[in-house]
Amino acid sequence: MPETVTLDTEALRMRLNEVRQRIEMGARRVGRAPEEITLIAVSKTHPTHVLDRAIMAGARDLGENRVQEAQGKIEALGRERARWHLIGHLQANKARRAVKIFDMVHSVDTVALVERLERLCAEEEREELQILIQVDLAGEVTKTGATEDELPALVDALSRCEHLRLMGLMTLPPFFEDADRARPYFQRLRELRDALRARAAFSTGDGELSMGMSHDYEMAIEEGATMVRVGTAIFGARAAAV
Ligand SMILES: *Cc1c(COP(=O)(O)O)cnc(C)c1O
């Protein structure tokens, strides 16, 4: 078990600033503007009071991977205090709750889920919900995410929705000890995003690229990431593997 470190607001502020500095350096290395990159602080498994401190320390976007766990935290802290991102797999029976609490869902990967979310938005009077399509570029059977072949049908389904806004793509490459091996996955996601952008597939803007975690976000930024999902580098090691 990793030791449980008590992170106060000041410690979190320092961690957040360090990550932001690295984001800025990564962006500058490839001539990008750091402002195009959103830092999502991945707070899964951490207790509500730690999220509260992270928000006080300046975190604006928080990422959670389980609807049930997120619901308690978001209700306790308040929907308005941060922008809430669902980054984990969404089961059909949790979709209604997800529609009520999240600002952006990064893990949409089937047409059935698109149709369900659209219907639930109407039922819950949710004007709009921001969506990223999760693409599985590794073809690992255990992984969630749509394959490249499934992508056109998903984009099509989303284009017919009144409430769902396709904002971009997300990927979670296989874990490599040598982070450099993730680079081709980031490059491929960017190519897919560029192709969709050329067809004006995205609701607004240029199409987000949600890619990069604690061990590889600087590389992801070099490859074009506009959203990085960083947990461990901000909050420290998680007690349980998730
Ligand atoms: C947990 C998680 C992260 C953050 O991982 P760290 O290595 O702690 O930065 C990012 N994305 C997804 C989808 C995750 O589940």
Side-chain angles (χ1 to χ4, degrees), residues 37 68 142 145 151 163 208:
I37 298 149
Q68 199 151 343
T142 50
L151 199 49
H163 303 284
E208 304 278 0

Side-chain angles (χ1 to χ4, degrees), residues 42 44 87 170 172 213-214 229-232 238:
V42 175
K44 64 186 184 194
I87 62 171
M170 179 273 226
L172 184 62
M213 305 164 49
S214 290
R229 311 179 305 265
V230 179
T232 310
R238 289 178 289 275

Side-chain angles (χ1 to χ4, degrees), residues 40 42 44 64-65 87-89 106 134 170-172 175 210 212-215 217 228-234 236 238 242:
I40 300 173
V42 175
K44 64 186 184 194
E64 288 281 330
N65 70 335
I87 62 171
H89 178 65
H106 291 230
Q134 182 175 354
M170 179 273 226
T171 200
L172 184 62
F175 178 83
S210 169
M213 305 164 49
S214 290
H215 69 293
Y217 67 94
V228 291
R229 311 179 305 265
V230 179
T232 310
I234 296 169
R238 289 178 289 275
V242 278

Side-chain angles (χ1 to χ4, degrees), residues 4-5 12 14 27 58 60 72-73 77 85 105 108 149 181:
T4 320
V5 201
L12 285 166
M14 280 169 60
R60 292 284 162 270
K73 295 177 184 179
L77 291 164
H85 300 261
V105 178
V108 170
D149 293 345
R181 291 181 61 197

Side-chain angles (χ1 to χ4, degrees), residues 89 107-114 132-141 143-160 166 169-170 188 192 196 199:
H89 178 65
S107 51
V108 170
D109 60 356
T110 64
V111 171
L113 183 58
V114 167
L132 301 181
I133 299 175
Q134 182 175 354
V135 189
D136 171 18
L137 298 168
E140 292 169 297
V141 252
K143 282 238 168 134
T144 53
T147 63
E148 287 189 36
D149 293 345
E150 292 164 343
L151 199 49
L154 271 158
V155 172
D156 235 48
L158 282 157
S159 73
R160 290 191 297 269
L166 177 58
L169 304 177
M170 179 273 226
R188 183 64 190 144
L192 293 171
L196 289 173
R199 292 171 40 206

